[in-house]
Amino acid sequence: MGKVGAAGGSPARLSALLAGAGLLVLCVPGACGGGSCCPQLPPGSAPRWAPTPGGFLRQGPRGRAAATPLPLLGRPLFAVAPGDRALSLERAPGTGASVAVAPRSGRRRRSEADPGKAERGEGASRSPRGVLRDGGQQEPGTLERDPDKATRFRMEELRLTSTTFALTGDSAHNQAMVHWSGHNSSVILILTKLYDYNLGSITESSLWRSTDYGTTYEKLNDKVGLKTILSYLYVCPTNKRKIMLLTDPEIESSLLISSDEGATYQKYRLNFYIQSLLFHPKQEDWILAYSQDQKLYSSAEFGRRWQLIQEGVVPNRFYWSVMGSNKEPDLVHLEARTVDGHSQYLTCRMQNCTEANRNKPFPGYIDPDSLIVQDDYVFVQLTSGGRPHYYVSYRRNAFAQMKLPKYALPKDMHVISTDENQVFAAVQEWNQNDTYNLYISDTRGVYFTLALENVQSSRGPEGNIMIDLYEVAGIKGMFLANKKIDNQVKTFITYNKGRDWRLLQAPDTDLRGDPVQCLLPYCSLHLHLKVSENPYTSGIIASRDTAPSIIVASGNIGSELSDSDISMFVSSDAGNTWRQIFEEEHSVLYLDQGGVLVAMKHTSLPIRHLWLSFDEGRSWSKYSFTSIPLFVDGVLGEPGEETLIMTVFGHFSHRSEWQLVKVDYKSIFDRRCAEEDYRPWQLHSQGEACIMGAKRIYKKRKSERKCMQGKYAGAMESEPCVCTEADFDCDYGYERHSNGQCLPAFWFNPSSLSKDCSLGQSYLNSTGYRKVVSNNCTDGVREQYTAKPQKCPGKAPRGLRIVTADGKLTAEQGHNVTLMVQLEEGDVQRTLIQVDFGDGIAVSYVNLSSMEDGIKHVYHNVGIFRVTVQVDNSLGSDSAVLYLHVTCPLEHVHLSLPFVTTKNKEVNATAVLWPSQVGTLTYVWWYGNNTEPLITLEGSISFKFTSEGMNTITVQVSAGNAILQDTKTIAVYEEFRSLRLSFSPNLDDYNPDIPEWRRDISRVIKKSLVEATGIPAQHILVAVLPGLPTAAELFVLPYQDPSGENKQSAEDLEQISELLIHKLNQNSMHFELKPGVQILVHAAHLTAAPLVDLTPTHSGSAMLMLLSVVFVGLAVFVIYKFKRRVALPSPPSPSTQPGDSSLRLQRARHATPPPTPKRGSAGAQFAI
C-alpha cells in the first residue's frame, strides 16, 4: 500500500520489477509525443489508494478481484539516444488513472558514459567521492573506511545461470503483456502488439507461450486465428489456468477463452464492446463486463454467455458483493444515472436485475462518481448547501453521516484504507491547498479523529490526487508519511496507526563508512513515498509481507525532502535504523521471501550486471545475467512462495526482437534452510517492544547462512502487553494537549453522546479516550480508559431542526418531499412530535425512532408553506420552522408588449407564463442599450425610450434550476399610423397559429402591399396577430435616410396612409398562399388603443382591465374625431366600395389590443 501514481521519470529503461505478482507492464517513450499513451487499468485493478473521481480515493479491496488486462511491456518505435527518452504513457480501457511505466523519476542525476565504451571498459570515470563507475553501472564502496558500518561490495564478477530467447518476427512490436502463472506452474504467456500511434489502433499481434519457465516459447497465432488481432490479456485471479483474450474491437468484438493455461482457445462473439472486466472474488466463472456505451453485463460461464444488468452505469462504479457483509454472493453494487442525469446507488442480483428486483440502499440521489463499496463499508457523497457531506454504511446497515471535527469543513476527502475494521481517510480542510490531514475512524466508520496534519499531496499526470502516505507491508499499524512543516517536507513514521509520529533517524555512516553529521530534529532521513501507478511494477519504496522487517526506499539526508542527491537506503529492523546502499536509484526485487535482494540500476544504457545481497543489504555481490549488454524493459519474478526464477525483458538494440532472459537463482543456494539457520528478531520502536499492544518475534535467516528459506519465512510469535496510555487515542470530540491528556474540544459537548437514548436505557459514556483499533493489549489501564455504560438522563428537547432530506428549500408540486426532524438532545422514546405541513395537513408521532426514514408529504399547490414541528416531553418542549417553496416546472415564457410605440412614452411589458402558477420567480429584464439588467419579483415593468429606432427587449424568468426567456423587438418613432387588416376567410383554413407561420405570412403581406402601392418597404410594418380569425396590424412608419435628412413629415405619413386605404378599399390587395389559393386583404377598422401582444394565459382581472382600456380608447377616439371635424376642414375622401365606410388613418401613438389568441400562441409576428 502506498501513494500511487506516476511521479515523473528518469531516462531509465528499467520500469517493472516485482516479485510474486506474475504480471508486467512496460511501454517505452518516443511513440506518442507529449500525450498519454500507456494503458490505464480497468476498475478494480488499481492498487490500494488508487485515485477515483467524485472526491474519493478507492482502495483495491480484498475480495474484489479485478479482471485486469495484463499491463503492457513497451519499446520505442525508433531509436533514440540514451537519456533522451521522454515519459511515455498509454491508456488501457476502463480506468481513470494514468499508468506511468517506462521512465522512472525526473530528478537530477549524474551523467552516464557511452554505452559502447561502458562494456569495453572505456570511459570509466571517477565520481565526486572517488567511487569508480564502470559503464554506467556504479561500483560503490571501493574505499571502505569502517568495515563494520560501511556497505560492502564484492567486486569479483560472478555469473548467474540464465538462458535467452528471442521473439523472432516481432521486432516491430512496441508493446507486450506478460502473464506468469507461478505457484508451481511453469507457464508464461506473452502478448506482443504493434500499436500505431498515428492511427490510434493495434495493427499486429502475436501470442507466445512457454511451458518451461521461459527457456523456450511457442508462437500460438495459428491457434487463435492468423488474422485475429488481440488487444488485451486477462487472467482469472482465483484460477490462473483460466485465460481470456480480447480482440481488437475495431475489427471484431470477440473473446477467446482458455481453461488450460492458454494451450487451447475457444472463440465467442460479442454483441457489445468491452471496456473493462471485473472478476468475482470467489466464483471463478462470474464476471462483470462494462461496455463502451455504459452498460453493465454479467456472465456466470466465464464469458461464454452474457446478460444485461443495467444501462447508464457510471464508469468504475460497480462492485461485487463482499463476503461476510452480503448474504448473496451474486449481489452487484452499482451507481447508475437516471434519465435526468442524477446518480443513484442500486443493488441487484447478477441474473435477476429487473426494475422490480433492484434495491436503493441510500434514499434519494448521490453525487456523481461517489459510490465506493470496500470491505465492510459503503461510502457515498451528497452535496447540499455548497458543502459535501459523506455517508457510510457499515456491514450494509443504514447509512450514517461521517463525523469529522466540527470545523474541519472538508473540501475533499479520500478513503485511503478500510483494513482491520477501520477507515483511514485523507481530508483537505477549508484552509488547505496542497496538503491533507489524516483521520482515523471508529469501527463503524462514523466518528473520526485526527492522526496527522498537513500531509504532502501532489497531482498525477491525469490530475489525480496522490497522498504521500505509505503503509509498511507485514507490520500492522506501521505507516510512513511526508508532512509539510514551514514549507519543508519531512518524513515521519508511526507504529501505532498514527497515535504517535517521529522523524526517521539518519544512518550513522555513509556508503563508505564515513560518519554522517545529522542531529534530530534539525536533520533526519527523508524518503520518497511513491510507488508506480501500475500495481505490478516496483516503486521508489518497497516492502513485502513475507519480509516484514525490510524496507527499501530512495531518499536523502538533510533538513527536508529533496529531489537532488538521491540515494538508496535500506532498513532491516522495520524503520528503526537505516543504511545507505547505493548513491543512485535502483529497482529492488525481493527473492526467496526477502532472503535475497536483487538490485538493478535505473539507467537508459544497456547493462549485463545486477547486484545480490544475502544479508538484508549489508553486503552486495556483482553478478552478470547476460553476456551481451541488454536494454532492460522490465523484470518479472516468479509468483508464489518461493521466488527463485526471474525473467528480464529487453532488447539488444532499439529495432531488435524482444529478448527474454530467464535467470535461475536456485544455483546460488546449496541447500534448503533448517531450523538452526534462523535467529529470533523482535519488532520494536526505538527499544519499545510493545507495538500495537503486543510483543512480536519474527524468525530471520542468519546472515552468514546461504540457504533457501522456503516455508519458515515469516514465522512469528506474539504475546499481548499490558495496556498503557500509549495504547489509547483521543475519542471523537477530544483533543490531546501538551500534557498528554485528551480534553473536549471547544466545539464539543460530551453530553451530546447521550442524545439518542431514552430514560431508563443506557449508553457508553466516553472517558475521552478510545483504544487504537486492532490493538491487542490487555488489563492495565484498559478499564480506566474504556467508555462506561451509563443510564440515560432525562432531558428536555433541545436543538430541534427540520430540513428536507436533500437539504434544499424547494419541492415540486405533486411529488413527494421528505422532511427530516433532527433533535440535538431529548428523550427520543418518550417524546410527542407534531408536524404541521402548512397546507392544512398535520401529523403526530409518539417518538423520533418512527421518523428515522423521514416524513414524506405531497403538496398539491404551489406557494411558500410554513412547516412547523413541535416536540414535547415531560421535561419541556422545543419547536422549529421551515419555509418550503413548492413550485411546478415552468414550460413557456411569452413577452407581451406593443409592436410600435412613440418616443418618451411609457411602455408596459409583461411576462406571461405557462403554467401561470409556478411558485416564486425572479425576472431579469434587458432592454434598450442598458448594460445592466433590471431584476424584479414582478412579471411586469414600465419604461421609456428616448430615441427612435428598433429596440430589443429580453426577459429571463428564473424558476428553481430552470431559466427560460423570450425576446421581442419594438419600433420607436415620434409618430406613426396604424390600421387593422382582415383577410378572406379561407386563410383561416391554413393558419396553424404558431409564431413561425405568422412571421412568414407577415413578410408575404408586406411584400404584396409594397408591390401594389409602390410605397418603400421602410415605411411599412406588418404584424400578424395570434388567434382566429386571422388578423394583422399594419403600421405606417416615418423613414429617415442614413444621412439624417429627408425625414417624412406628418403630412407625408397621411398621404401614404390614404394611398394604402384607397388600395385596400378597392379589393386590389391580395397574395397567393399556394397554387390556386388567393387571399384578399381588407381594411378592418381604425385602432384607438394601445396594441399589445397577448397570450391566452392572462388572468380574468387582466382581461377586464384590457376591455376597460378598449372602451376608454373608443371614447377618446370619438371625442378626438369630433374635435378634429370642428377644427379642421376634411380632406377629400378616397373612393370606397359600396357599403364600405370611409376610413381615415389617424395619428396613433398606441395600438389596439389584438383578438384574444389561442392557448399556446406566442404572440404576433411582424415584418419590418
Side-chain angles (χ1 to χ4, degrees):
M1 296 173 63
K3 175 180 171 183
V4 298
S10 72
R13 300 259 345 150
L14 181 62
S15 62
L17 187 60
L18 178 75
L23 303 170
L24 179 65
V25 55
L26 278 175
C27 51
V28 176
C32 55
S36 295
C37 52
C38 281
Q40 297 178 339
L41 302 176
S45 65
R48 294 177 181 179
W49 311 352
T52 57
F56 282 92
L57 227 63
R58 178 171 58 209
Q59 172 188 354
R62 298 178 186 142
R64 184 172 186 259
T68 308
L70 298 192
L72 291 180
L73 183 79
R75 56 187 297 183
L77 292 176
F78 50 86
V80 295
D84 287 345
R85 298 191 179 96
L87 177 64
S88 175
L89 299 173
E90 294 184 345
R91 183 177 300 276
T95 167
S98 66
V99 181
V101 276
R104 297 298 302 180
S105 87
R107 302 185 179 90
R108 296 197 302 269
R109 54 185 63 253
R110 301 171 179 87
S111 62
E112 296 172 340
D114 176 80
K117 295 181 180 180
E119 291 302 326
R120 297 192 301 269
E122 303 175 24
S125 61
R126 293 272 176 178
S127 74
R129 298 183 181 180
V131 180
L132 180 67
R133 283 187 252 162
D134 179 14
Q137 181 68 44
Q138 182 181 352
E139 315 289 2
T142 56
L143 301 175
E144 295 187 5
R145 300 294 181 86
D146 187 340
D148 295 327
K149 294 184 178 181
T151 301
R152 297 183 297 275
F153 289 84
R154 181 179 178 180
M155 302 311 300
E156 177 188 355
E157 181 177 315
L158 305 175
R159 179 156 181 86
L160 293 167
T161 302
S162 64
T163 59
T164 302
F165 186 89
L167 301 184
T168 305
D170 288 352
S171 61
H173 290 194
N174 52 13
Q175 294 180 349
M177 309 177 88
V178 186
H179 165 65
W180 193 341
S181 294
H183 303 282
N184 299 320
S185 173
S186 60
V187 174
I188 301 177
L189 287 173
I190 301 178
L191 171 62
T192 66
K193 301 179 291 183
L194 172 58
Y195 186 86
D196 191 316
Y197 294 97
N198 294 320
L199 299 176
S201 62
I202 301 167
T203 57
E204 294 179 17
S205 67
S206 296
L207 183 65
W208 299 82
R209 184 172 185 262
S210 172
T211 58
D212 52 10
Y213 289 96
T215 303
T216 60
Y217 288 84
E218 176 189 4
K219 199 169 187 176
L220 302 182
N221 284 24
D222 57 335
K223 294 187 178 181
V224 298
L226 293 175
K227 295 184 178 180
T228 300
I229 297 180
L230 304 175
S231 58
Y232 288 100
L233 171 63
Y234 292 84
V235 181
C236 176
T238 54
N239 184 354
K240 299 296 180 64
R241 294 181 59 83
K242 292 190 173 183
I243 309 296
M244 183 178 292
L245 296 170
L246 185 63
T247 62
D248 185 0
E250 293 191 5
I251 299 176
E252 62 174 329
S253 183
S254 300
L255 287 176
L256 288 94
I257 296 173
S258 173
S259 299
D260 51 10
E261 288 190 281
T264 60
Y265 293 89
Q266 292 177 303
K267 193 171 187 178
Y268 296 88
R269 297 281 183 179
L270 297 174
N271 58 2
F272 62 95
Y273 296 103
I274 292 178
Q275 182 169 317
S276 59
L277 295 178
L278 186 67
F279 285 108
H280 193 276
K282 298 293 184 182
Q283 301 292 331
E284 61 186 52
D285 289 335
W286 293 4
I287 310 174
L288 296 178
Y290 186 75
S291 69
Q292 294 181 4
D293 56 353
Q294 298 187 342
K295 295 179 182 178
L296 188 64
Y297 296 84
S298 67
S299 174
E301 303 176 50
F302 199 72
R304 292 172 177 85
R305 292 184 180 85
W306 296 92
Q307 178 175 330
L308 178 64
I309 293 181
Q310 175 71 34
E311 297 182 0
V313 177
V314 177
N316 303 337
R317 302 298 175 177
F318 51 92
Y319 309 84
W320 282 111
S321 61
V322 178
M323 299 297 100
S325 295
N326 295 107
K327 297 179 180 178
E328 305 89 356
D330 62 341
L331 191 68
V332 178
H333 304 258
L334 58 92
E335 179 183 332
R337 289 194 178 97
T338 62
V339 293
D340 54 357
H342 293 99
S343 289
Q344 55 185 355
Y345 167 31
L346 304 176
T347 61
C348 63
R349 309 288 286 271
M350 63 177 288
Q351 297 294 324
N352 189 20
C353 197
T354 62
E355 184 69 33
N357 294 315
R358 295 186 192 118
N359 294 318
K360 298 179 181 178
F362 186 82
Y365 299 126
I366 63 176
D367 285 356
D369 299 319
S370 70
L371 173 67
I372 297 175
V373 180
Q374 189 167 298
D375 296 327
D376 288 334
Y377 302 90
V378 179
F379 303 94
V380 296
Q381 176 179 318
L382 180 63
T383 299
S384 63
R387 294 181 183 175
H389 301 279
Y390 306 98
Y391 295 83
V392 61
S393 168
Y394 177 62
R395 291 185 175 175
R396 310 306 182 257
N397 292 315
F399 278 88
Q401 186 170 350
M402 298 162 67
K403 301 290 186 181
L404 294 167
K406 185 174 183 180
Y407 295 107
L409 304 178
K411 296 189 297 185
D412 190 21
M413 174 184 286
H414 301 266
V415 174
I416 293 178
S417 168
T418 54
D419 290 344
E420 301 174 339
N421 295 322
Q422 189 172 40
V423 179
F424 219 149
V427 176
Q428 188 172 64
E429 301 186 11
W430 64 274
N431 57 349
Q432 292 178 305
N433 293 317
D434 58 351
T435 61
Y436 282 72
N437 289 348
L438 295 181
Y439 284 89
I440 196 163
S441 78
D442 60 351
T443 300
R444 293 172 51 229
V446 175
Y447 293 100
F448 285 78
T449 57
L450 182 65
L452 184 65
E453 290 183 300
N454 295 321
V455 177
Q456 179 72 9
S457 70
S458 59
R459 288 193 176 272
E462 299 295 326
N464 51 303
I465 297 296
M466 302 183 294
I467 311 297
D468 265 7
L469 179 70
Y470 181 83
E471 182 175 7
V472 178
I475 300 179
K476 181 174 60 178
M478 183 176 174
F479 290 85
L480 292 161
N482 284 330
K483 178 179 179 178
K484 193 171 186 180
I485 304 175
D486 297 330
N487 291 323
Q488 290 185 326
V489 178
K490 302 174 182 288
T491 301
F492 287 77
I493 189 171
T494 179
Y495 293 86
N496 52 10
K497 278 196 171 181
R499 197 271 188 200
D500 301 292
W501 296 84
R502 62 173 175 82
L503 293 167
L504 294 180
Q505 178 66 57
D508 294 332
T509 61
D510 62 12
L511 194 64
R512 289 159 299 281
D514 295 332
V516 174
Q517 302 299 326
C518 186
L519 181 64
L520 290 173
Y522 310 104
C523 174
S524 59
L525 175 64
H526 309 286
L527 303 178
H528 291 276
L529 306 180
K530 301 180 179 71
V531 295
S532 172
E533 283 186 341
N534 182 344
Y536 314 124
T537 63
S538 83
I540 297 176
I541 184 168
S543 60
R544 296 290 181 269
D545 288 324
T546 54
S549 64
I550 303 175
I551 308 170
V552 181
S554 65
N556 65 280
I557 298 172
S559 60
E560 63 177 323
L561 184 65
S562 172
D563 284 337
S564 60
D565 297 327
I566 301 298
S567 298
M568 295 297 298
F569 298 88
V570 65
S571 174
S572 57
D573 57 1
N576 285 280
T577 61
W578 295 82
R579 293 188 304 278
Q580 185 181 12
I581 55 175
F582 297 105
E583 286 188 328
E584 290 188 341
E585 286 189 63
H586 286 63
S587 286
V588 178
L589 180 73
Y590 287 65
L591 295 179
D592 189 31
Q593 310 293 356
V596 180
L597 299 179
V598 180
M600 273 191 179
K601 183 185 176 184
H602 293 177
T603 178
S604 61
L605 303 179
I607 60 174
R608 60 187 182 91
H609 299 115
L610 50 78
W611 295 90
L612 295 184
S613 175
F614 297 87
D615 54 5
E616 300 175 340
R618 293 179 178 85
S619 62
W620 296 84
S621 298
K622 182 180 180 181
Y623 284 81
S624 64
F625 64 91
T626 178
S627 58
I628 304 175
L630 185 75
F631 287 99
V632 177
D633 294 318
V635 183
L636 186 63
E638 176 192 7
E641 198 171 273
E642 304 172 12
T643 302
L644 293 173
I645 296 179
M646 184 177 76
T647 300
V648 181
F649 302 84
H651 53 281
F652 295 135
S653 69
H654 292 291
R655 291 190 178 275
S656 68
E657 289 87 359
W658 292 97
Q659 304 294 327
L660 310 181
V661 181
K662 171 190 172 183
V663 184
D664 192 341
Y665 292 90
K666 292 180 181 179
S667 61
I668 63 177
F669 299 104
D670 51 11
R671 61 183 176 85
R672 186 177 291 272
C673 294
E675 184 68 28
E676 60 271 15
D677 295 312
Y678 292 89
R679 63 179 176 85
W681 174 79
Q682 186 171 53
L683 174 66
H684 66 94
S685 170
Q686 301 297 299
E688 174 56 52
C690 287
I691 304 294
M692 292 292 289
K695 296 179 180 179
R696 295 180 178 85
I697 298 177
Y698 296 83
K699 288 184 178 180
K700 281 192 173 187
R701 192 187 64 187
K702 296 177 181 178
S703 59
E704 67 273 12
R705 304 295 172 89
K706 204 172 181 179
C707 56
M708 188 169 60
Q709 292 196 93
K711 63 180 180 180
Y712 290 104
M716 183 186 72
E717 299 175 5
S718 180
E719 176 187 348
C721 296
V722 174
C723 291
T724 66
E725 188 268 342
D727 297 305
F728 291 81
D729 206 349
C730 291
D731 204 352
Y732 174 76
Y734 291 81
E735 297 174 337
R736 191 177 300 279
H737 288 243
S738 57
N739 59 3
Q741 286 186 313
C742 294
L743 301 175
F746 74 93
W747 49 265
F748 181 68
N749 180 10
S751 64
S752 64
L753 296 176
S754 63
K755 69 177 183 178
D756 294 329
C757 68
S758 300
L759 190 65
Q761 297 179 339
S762 60
Y763 74 101
L764 290 177
N765 186 21
S766 176
T767 62
Y769 299 84
R770 71 181 183 196
K771 190 177 175 183
V772 175
V773 174
S774 301
N775 186 293
N776 296 322
C777 72
T778 59
D779 302 328
V781 299
R782 185 177 66 172
E783 183 67 23
Q784 174 186 347
Y785 281 66
T786 301
K788 306 296 190 299
Q790 185 170 324
K791 292 293 183 182
C792 295
K795 292 184 178 180
R798 188 181 69 84
L800 180 66
R801 295 178 64 225
I802 181 169
V803 296
T804 58
D806 57 6
K808 298 179 180 179
L809 297 176
T810 61
E812 192 171 330
Q813 178 189 11
H815 290 71
N816 265 322
V817 57
T818 302
L819 301 171
M820 310 296 294
V821 177
Q822 301 170 352
L823 186 63
E824 187 173 325
E825 284 188 4
D827 189 344
V828 298
Q829 296 297 327
R830 293 177 173 83
T831 299
L832 176 64
I833 303 101
Q834 296 177 324
V835 180
D836 188 337
F837 298 105
D839 61 349
I841 301 176
V843 294
S844 298
Y845 297 88
V846 294
N847 59 64
L848 278 176
S849 59
S850 60
M851 304 164 57
E852 289 180 351
D853 296 331
I855 308 169
K856 291 182 170 53
H857 185 66
V858 177
Y859 287 90
H860 298 286
N861 297 306
V862 298
I864 303 176
F865 294 88
R866 186 175 187 269
V867 185
T868 59
V869 58
Q870 176 82 21
V871 177
D872 299 274
N873 65 16
S874 59
L875 299 176
S877 63
D878 197 2
S879 61
V881 177
L882 170 68
Y883 295 97
L884 186 65
H885 294 244
V886 178
T887 63
C888 70
L890 180 61
E891 299 179 12
H892 178 71
V893 173
H894 166 63
L895 178 59
S896 174
L897 76 163
F899 306 120
V900 184
T901 187
T902 53
K903 187 172 63 173
N904 295 320
K905 187 70 174 182
E906 191 171 82
V907 177
N908 293 320
T910 301
V912 184
L913 312 178
W914 176 259
S916 58
Q917 299 296 324
V918 293
T920 306
L921 302 172
T922 302
Y923 300 83
V924 182
W925 304 86
W926 304 82
Y927 59 90
N929 295 321
N930 293 350
T931 58
E932 296 294 332
L934 174 65
I935 301 176
T936 68
L937 297 178
E938 299 294 332
S940 298
I941 62 169
S942 297
F943 51 88
K944 297 179 181 179
F945 291 103
T946 59
S947 60
E948 293 184 293
M950 303 301 296
N951 291 273
T952 299
I953 301 176
T954 298
V955 62
Q956 295 178 328
V957 183
S958 175
N961 294 327
I963 298 179
L964 278 71
Q965 77 173 29
D966 190 20
T967 300
K968 290 289 170 31
T969 301
I970 183 172
V972 180
Y973 296 99
E974 288 188 359
E975 56 183 351
F976 61 89
R977 305 290 188 271
S978 66
L979 175 68
R980 180 63 57 86
L981 302 179
S982 61
F983 306 93
S984 52
N986 57 343
L987 181 59
D988 294 343
D989 298 334
Y990 301 95
N991 185 355
D993 200 17
I994 60 174
E996 295 88 342
W997 186 88
R998 290 194 291 270
R999 184 166 54 249
D1000 289 338
I1001 292 299
S1002 296
R1003 187 173 61 254
V1004 172
I1005 297 170
K1006 177 178 177 179
K1007 181 180 179 182
S1008 65
L1009 290 173
V1010 171
E1011 292 177 350
T1013 63
I1015 299 173
Q1018 297 87 344
H1019 287 293
I1020 298 177
L1021 183 149
V1022 178
V1024 176
L1025 307 175
L1028 295 174
T1030 307
E1033 193 75 16
L1034 170 62
F1035 296 93
V1036 180
L1037 307 175
Y1039 172 70
Q1040 182 175 350
D1041 59 33
S1043 64
E1045 301 178 355
N1046 303 322
K1047 181 179 179 182
Q1048 280 75 12
S1049 63
E1051 289 74 11
D1052 297 329
L1053 295 182
E1054 204 67 52
Q1055 292 178 7
I1056 295 172
S1057 302
E1058 291 179 359
L1059 176 59
L1060 285 169
I1061 292 175
H1062 176 72
K1063 290 290 186 180
L1064 289 170
N1065 287 338
Q1066 289 182 341
N1067 285 337
S1068 60
M1069 302 292 296
H1070 60 83
F1071 62 90
E1072 186 177 55
L1073 184 65
K1074 57 187 299 186
V1077 179
Q1078 292 288 328
I1079 306 298
L1080 293 177
V1081 184
H1082 306 284
H1085 57 78
L1086 288 172
T1087 59
L1091 175 63
V1092 292
D1093 186 9
L1094 303 176
T1095 68
T1097 52
H1098 280 300
S1099 63
S1101 59
M1103 294 302 297
L1104 289 175
M1105 181 182 69
L1106 289 172
L1107 290 174
S1108 300
V1109 172
V1110 171
F1111 286 121
V1112 172
L1114 288 174
V1116 171
F1117 169 75
V1118 172
I1119 296 172
Y1120 177 84
K1121 185 175 182 181
F1122 176 78
K1123 289 184 176 181
R1124 186 176 179 89
R1125 285 179 177 176
V1126 172
L1128 299 172
S1130 298
S1133 176
S1135 60
T1136 61
Q1137 294 294 325
D1140 287 346
S1141 60
S1142 176
L1143 301 179
R1144 178 179 295 122
L1145 285 169
Q1146 304 293 335
R1147 179 175 298 174
R1149 297 186 184 273
H1150 305 285
T1152 58
T1156 302
K1158 295 192 299 185
R1159 171 169 296 187
S1161 60
Q1165 305 297 319
F1166 60 84
I1168 184 169

